Amino acid sequence: MPPRKPASVNIKDVARHAGVSLGSASRVVNNVANVGEETRAKVLAAIEALGYRPNHAAQSLRSRSTRTIGCLVTDVANPLYAQLFRALEERFLAEGYLLLLANGLNDPDREIALLNLFRLRGMDGVVIAPGNERHAGVLKAVAALEMPAVVLDRDLASRHDKVQFDHAAGMKAAVAYLAGLGHRRIALVQSQSSNRPMRRRAEGLRAACRSHGLAFDDRWLVQLPSSTSSAYDAVAALLAAPDRPTALLVQGTSILVETLNAVSAAGLSMPRDLSLMSIGDPDFAVHHAPPLTALRVDLHAVADRTAERLLARLGGETAEAVSLRVPSELIERGSCGPAP
Amino acid sequence: MPPRKPASVNIKDVARHAGVSLGSASRVVNNVANVGEETRAKVLAAIEALGYRPNHAAQSLRSRSTRTIGCLVTDVANPLYAQLFRALEERFLAEGYLLLLANGLNDPDREIALLNLFRLRGMDGVVIAPGNERHAGVLKAVAALEMPAVVLDRDLASRHDKVQFDHAAGMKAAVAYLAGLGHRRIALVQSQSSNRPMRRRAEGLRAACRSHGLAFDDRWLVQLPSSTSSAYDAVAALLAAPDRPTALLVQGTSILVETLNAVSAAGLSMPRDLSLMSIGDPDFAVHHAPPLTALRVDLHAVADRTAERLLARLGGETAEAVSLRVPSELIERGSCGPAP
DNA sequence: TTGAAAGCGCTAACAT
DNA sequence: ATGTTAGCGCTTTCAA
């Protein structure tokens, strides 16, 4: 009747070997109180002798807990999500949870399928950052999640806890810093995708400029149509204009590298002729000549907040959903200086 | 007796609602043959009406299969592993497998713990690239893996299938290409870590130079002690020497960016004064000015081979372990030219 | 503190 | 083609 004979030693074997009951063996395995010293020792010895390892599927079935967290991100190949995953792994591994990772790739159908799979697989909790925060199907799939969930950096309407990155405030700090250095023409270079963080930053920039009494020319919002298009050309054009911006905010690793390239090809020296601030803090920023000033979110803080929320819910907390906001930090290095 | 009352609808409910036996319901759920048209329809209707979803833990317990693959990589924050994970996800998702991801971080104890967790959690298969290929404990943990496993780009002694990147052959092709352009002084810039890929490339370079009758000066093997040290300074020093290399092989995204920086600071123009080849093909390589010639492994090919191996084993293949080698490809773009 | 026993929800062997 | 049934390995209630 069994599909295969696994010949695997189970808790019954342990109990028999130890000469105690099944229940006692289980109590020892699960570190439950009210176990006699002698009984515990015998069971432990049997476990050791037999090389017993609990069957996770059986534990899950009985205890209704998989000790697994599902993570749905847009794309791990994006360093931001990769680093975030690492930080999350740190927190959850320490609590005995393993992480399932899936890439939504901005495809709503895929995201829906993945979300449903997480449900089917009985994840104890999920951390999700769906690319399609307005898609009805995605919203429905998110709403259907019956386990604790934390929504990361997305605006989607749901009853779950949220951890947001403070994009607008970050842009405000960046503009304040640059305005303080005398800059009055500030450009933003980013890729053209309509997800929340991008939009928020563009909006944040406009608002911040306004509140500092700076004009904002639409030519200074460079949104690159697709990942195949060249930031190099766009930035070169931007810098060739007579009233070129004196400060550049640049988002995305590839775009940053191409921008740096265009700046040096234009014969401009940082921070003398041009100030540049990276949005996001890639590894090489600190080693660049000059080191690049960067605006970033503290991903460890994000992971901490996220884990704290999810763990609290897992622990049975039933309070109303909260929305946390993790501030951006401005890392002053050498690529920004007084406006020329 | 149950921990909580889940009030969840189970297959028994489905069978009752459909007026058929438990077995028939199960057969429909699992798409097993020998099910009458009418029975199937009734069960499907009941599933729909009740909103039935199979309990994965129970399925796993009974069928002894979790339909989950464990992936142990060194660090997803390394774009190579991130892209590899994505490619693997594509293959395995299509077969109904979900992926557990864990970062070994070059910590042997951590890797051992993770490997054991994969075992405990009953992964159907694993894909592993342990950082510590010589560590006795890691070797033991790998040997203890009773499920199908594929070892990625590591030299460790094990009875499992392996998929290797052909580092030595890649370096040979790179040197042949460069030698053909007249270069006789070729340098390699990489980080100093003793894992297999790094070593293999350095060894491969030496061997390739030898076979092309090129001298190899140890000063041209630039191994940067730690990720905090600056490639910029090292490359600047390299380029300042009177007999400086005429071609640079550069490995690692950060190191590449810093190197590019040092090259342009030295007033050298590519490919006229200096040829540069990237080992690994970051997004921006194609947009750089000039576009960067790159040596890379085809990660989709790696994922295909890996998935093919694992799926075959999962399907019951018992043939002896194989060791596959995925070749490197040389992408000619604009950063290499005739030696000055 | 310990033992006995009842299932968790499901699959697959067996019988019909 | 369908129904019946025996567990998979475990946790937890209940009784002692």
Side-chain angles (χ1 to χ4, degrees):
Chain A
M1 184 158 325
R4 280 180 275 159
K5 182 82 263 189
S8 127
V9 11
N10 59 28
I11 200 168
K12 219 165 144 185
D13 300 325
V14 171
R16 191 173 334 113
H17 186 103
V20 301
S21 77
L22 204 86
S24 292
S26 174
R27 280 182 275 260
V28 172
V29 169
N30 294 293
N31 271 311
V32 176
N34 294 337
V35 179
E37 217 28 75
E38 197 189 349
T39 306
R40 153 161 278 112
K42 282 193 293 189
V43 173
L44 257 17
I47 288 174
E48 179 68 20
L50 267 36
Y52 166 73
R53 289 174 309 136
N55 179 310
H56 185 74
Q59 289 181 315
S60 292
L61 174 56
R62 194 53 237 248
S63 65
R64 306 198 155 291
S65 158
T66 56
R67 298 210 71 87
T68 308
I69 304 294
C71 299
L72 173 65
V73 300
T74 303
D75 184 359
V76 260
N78 179 333
L80 179 99
Y81 291 115
Q83 285 167 24
L84 193 56
F85 179 85
R86 270 199 41 181
L88 286 172
E89 185 189 26
E90 238 35 67
R91 306 303 181 286
F92 284 110
L93 229 39
E95 302 291 326
Y97 289 93
L98 241 28
L99 265 39
L100 221 42
L101 178 63
N103 297 113
L105 305 180
N106 273 319
D107 173 349
D109 292 331
R110 183 182 171 110
E111 295 187 332
I112 292 166
L114 257 6
L115 255 4
N116 288 335
L117 262 177
F118 282 172
R119 232 149 56 89
L120 226 46
R121 294 299 193 95
M123 298 291 98
D124 284 354
V126 295
V127 175
I128 59 175
N132 303 273
E133 39 187 335
R134 305 264 134 112
H135 189 285
V138 172
L139 254 31
K140 210 177 121 193
V142 171
L145 261 19
E146 53 267 295
M147 73 286 272
V150 174
V151 176
L152 272 189
D153 198 31
R154 295 291 183 270
D155 247 348
L156 55 76
S158 89
R159 66 178 190 291
H160 305 287
D161 288 337
K162 292 191 187 57
V163 174
Q164 311 276 23
F165 303 175
D166 205 337
H167 303 290
M171 288 309 258
K172 204 162 145 186
V175 170
Y177 173 75
L178 260 9
L181 287 168
H183 294 274
R184 306 202 49 84
R185 296 193 301 276
I186 302 172
L188 172 64
V189 187
Q190 60 177 195
S191 75
Q192 183 189 64
S193 59
S194 60
N195 66 20
R196 180 177 178 285
M198 298 288 180
R199 275 205 318 274
R200 279 290 225 245
R201 288 204 180 94
E203 288 162 14
L205 175 61
R206 278 182 211 276
C209 283
R210 208 161 30 235
S211 80
H212 281 270
L214 306 182
F216 187 79
D217 189 316
D218 273 339
R219 284 174 306 147
W220 300 337
L221 179 56
V222 179
Q223 292 182 312
L224 302 157
S226 95
S227 56
T228 57
S229 89
S230 165
Y232 182 92
D233 296 334
V235 172
L238 192 66
L239 297 178
D243 59 342
R244 63 175 173 80
T246 60
L248 256 38
L249 294 164
V250 186
Q251 177 176 16
T253 307
S254 287
I255 291 174
L256 174 60
V257 173
E258 293 176 53
T259 298
L260 255 11
N261 222 256
V263 169
S264 102
L268 264 23
S269 149
M270 298 186 304
R272 202 191 53 205
D273 309 319
L274 181 76
S275 287
L276 183 148
M277 185 186 298
S278 170
I279 298 180
D281 194 15
D283 290 348
F284 64 82
V286 67
H287 294 310
H288 195 90
L292 305 177
T293 293
L295 180 70
R296 68 177 186 197
V297 278
D298 181 347
L299 292 179
H300 287 279
V302 172
D304 280 339
R305 293 297 90 72
T306 304
E308 184 272 322
R309 279 294 77 218
L310 206 50
L311 261 5
R313 298 295 179 184
L314 256 12
E317 188 199 83
T318 73
E320 204 172 335
V322 299
S323 184
L324 269 27
R325 198 161 293 272
V326 179
S328 300
E329 38 184 12
L330 182 51
I331 313 292
E332 250 185 282
R333 291 197 274 252
S335 62
C336 290
Chain B
M1 188 160 320
R4 280 180 275 160
K5 181 82 268 192
S8 129
V9 9
N10 60 28
I11 200 169
K12 222 165 145 185
D13 300 325
V14 171
R16 191 173 334 113
H17 185 104
V20 302
S21 76
L22 216 124
S24 292
S26 174
R27 279 181 278 260
V28 172
V29 170
N30 295 294
N31 271 313
V32 175
N34 295 338
V35 180
E37 218 27 77
E38 196 189 351
T39 305
R40 153 162 277 111
K42 282 193 294 187
V43 173
L44 256 17
I47 287 174
E48 179 68 20
L50 268 35
Y52 167 74
R53 289 173 309 135
N55 178 310
H56 184 74
Q59 289 182 315
S60 292
L61 174 57
R62 192 56 235 243
S63 66
R64 306 196 154 289
S65 158
T66 56
R67 297 210 73 85
T68 308
I69 304 294
C71 299
L72 173 64
V73 301
T74 304
D75 184 359
V76 261
N78 179 334
L80 178 99
Y81 291 114
Q83 284 168 25
L84 193 56
F85 179 85
R86 271 198 42 180
L88 286 172
E89 183 188 27
E90 239 35 66
R91 307 302 182 287
F92 284 110
L93 229 38
E95 302 290 328
Y97 290 92
L98 240 28
L99 267 39
L100 221 43
L101 178 64
N103 296 114
L105 305 181
N106 274 319
D107 173 349
D109 292 331
R110 184 183 171 111
E111 294 187 332
I112 292 166
L114 256 7
L115 255 7
N116 288 335
L117 261 178
F118 282 173
R119 231 148 56 91
L120 227 44
R121 295 298 193 95
M123 298 292 99
D124 284 354
V126 295
V127 175
I128 58 175
N132 303 273
E133 40 188 333
R134 305 265 134 112
H135 189 284
V138 172
L139 254 32
K140 210 176 123 193
V142 171
L145 260 21
E146 53 267 295
M147 73 287 273
V150 174
V151 177
L152 272 189
D153 198 31
R154 294 292 184 268
D155 248 348
L156 55 76
S158 89
R159 64 177 192 293
H160 305 287
D161 287 338
K162 291 190 187 59
V163 174
Q164 311 276 23
F165 303 174
D166 206 338
H167 302 290
M171 289 309 258
K172 204 163 146 187
V175 170
Y177 173 76
L178 259 8
L181 287 168
H183 294 275
R184 305 202 50 83
R185 296 194 301 276
I186 303 172
L188 172 63
V189 186
Q190 60 177 195
S191 74
Q192 183 189 64
S193 58
S194 60
N195 68 18
R196 179 177 178 284
M198 297 288 180
R199 276 205 318 274
R200 278 292 225 246
R201 287 203 180 95
E203 288 162 14
L205 176 60
R206 277 181 211 278
C209 283
R210 208 160 31 234
S211 79
H212 280 270
L214 305 182
F216 186 81
D217 189 315
D218 274 339
R219 284 175 306 147
W220 301 337
L221 179 54
V222 179
Q223 292 184 311
L224 301 157
S226 95
S227 58
T228 57
S229 89
S230 164
Y232 182 92
D233 296 334
V235 173
L238 193 66
L239 297 178
D243 58 342
R244 63 175 173 80
T246 61
L248 256 37
L249 294 164
V250 185
Q251 178 175 14
T253 306
S254 287
I255 291 175
L256 175 60
V257 173
E258 294 176 52
T259 299
L260 255 11
N261 221 258
V263 169
S264 103
L268 265 24
S269 148
M270 299 185 303
R272 200 191 56 204
D273 309 319
L274 181 75
S275 287
L276 182 148
M277 185 186 297
S278 170
I279 298 180
D281 195 13
D283 289 348
F284 65 82
V286 67
H287 294 310
H288 195 91
L292 305 177
T293 293
L295 179 70
R296 68 177 186 196
V297 277
D298 181 346
L299 292 179
H300 287 278
V302 171
D304 280 339
R305 292 298 89 72
T306 303
E308 184 272 321
R309 278 296 76 219
L310 207 49
L311 260 7
R313 298 294 178 184
L314 255 13
E317 189 199 83
T318 72
E320 204 173 334
V322 300
S323 184
L324 268 27
R325 199 162 294 271
V326 178
S328 299
E329 38 185 13
L330 182 52
I331 312 292
E332 250 185 280
R333 291 197 274 252
S335 61
C336 291

